[in-house]
Amino acid sequence: MRFVSEQRLDDGVLARDFTLGDIPGTLWTPESAVPTPLILMAHNNGLPRTEARLVARARHYAAAGYAVASIDAPGSGDRPRSATDDQARAELRRAMQAGEPVDEIFESFVGPLVEKAVPEWRTTLDALLTLPEIDGGPVGYSGWTAVGIRLAVAEPRIKAAGLFAGGYVPRAQREEARQVTVPLLFLLQWDDRGNPRQRALDLFDAFGTKEKTLHANLGGHTGTPTFELVDGTRFFDRHLK
């Protein structure tokens, strides 16, 4: 892992961009010099890690005493897109505009993306846990549900997960949800037209953990209330501190 830039922000949080092979990422850490718990913050494909609302979430958790790391998924942010990726996105836009079913397009696109993203997150986690300001964890996860499910099943170092129900979850991860046993906070936007409400409720029901909480709020895909950040902090405080 090589840090390529750093900036001390006005809330005292230190933001550092890094590269790990061809993986670009950002690490936000609080002012405190003592080792802090780590939150891995993933986002749905297409959004760069520099998206304003993602950065705001990272800074909130860092100011609350967490190290927060985000990397760009394959084909998003600072990473090159393949012709196959662009074709899939174009087909998805066409189908949505035409009012056609899009599940199979999502399945063919998101499924392979999860398979690529999870090993990169595990490699990134290996490197992050060697840093003195993190010193081994503990580790939480926040964000993209499909990747979060796979990581929570495959990675025993994940101790708690906050998942956003706004992205498509492939069939493989819907089945894997039954193997998730870590404490879970699941956020659902009740009026998200791109995410059928019943599918999200069925997924919540499928999670195997004995400690899971569902927060449902009125509003569309990007309308998650800001107070959920406060509740998210309380959730991670309970399980990581």
Side-chain angles (χ1 to χ4, degrees), residues 130-194:
T130 66
L131 298 175
E133 58 267 44
I134 298 172
D135 193 28
V139 183
Y141 174 91
S142 174
W144 186 0
T145 296
V147 166
I149 291 171
R150 171 59 62 84
L151 268 178
V153 171
E155 183 49 74
R157 292 173 292 186
I158 302 292
K159 302 302 182 185
L163 304 179
F164 288 73
Y168 180 81
V169 178
R171 287 186 285 268
Q173 276 66 64
R174 280 180 252 160
E175 286 298 318
E176 285 181 323
R178 305 179 190 284
Q179 303 174 48
V180 173
T181 58
V182 298
L184 176 69
L185 175 62
F186 196 52
L187 299 183
L188 169 63
Q189 285 303 103
W190 204 245
D191 307 301
D192 188 346
R193 292 185 298 173

Side-chain angles (χ1 to χ4, degrees), residues 200-213:
L201 295 174
D202 290 344
L203 178 61
F204 177 76
D205 189 51
F207 283 115
T209 179
K210 301 301 182 183
E211 186 172 346
K212 55 184 176 181
T213 301

Side-chain angles (χ1 to χ4, degrees), residues 32-100:
S32 171
V34 301
T36 59
L38 171 65
I39 296 175
L40 305 179
M41 197 179 75
H43 47 81
N44 287 351
N45 183 57
L47 282 181
R49 70 186 191 282
T50 55
E51 177 78 12
R53 58 192 171 95
L54 302 177
V55 172
R57 180 153 48 101
R59 291 180 61 174
H60 172 87
Y61 286 132
Y66 292 91
V68 184
S70 184
I71 60 175
D72 283 331
S76 69
D78 291 335
R79 304 187 68 175
R81 288 188 180 184
S82 69
T84 302
D85 291 341
D86 286 339
Q87 182 178 356
R89 288 187 175 91
E91 177 61 18
L92 180 61
R93 287 193 297 269
R94 186 205 62 76
M96 293 179 71
Q97 290 170 358
E100 298 174 358

Side-chain angles (χ1 to χ4, degrees), residues 6-15 29-32 59:
E6 69 174 57
Q7 180 184 10
R8 180 69 68 179
L9 305 175
D10 54 13
D11 53 4
V13 170
L14 179 64
T29 49
E31 285 188 282
S32 171
R59 291 180 61 174

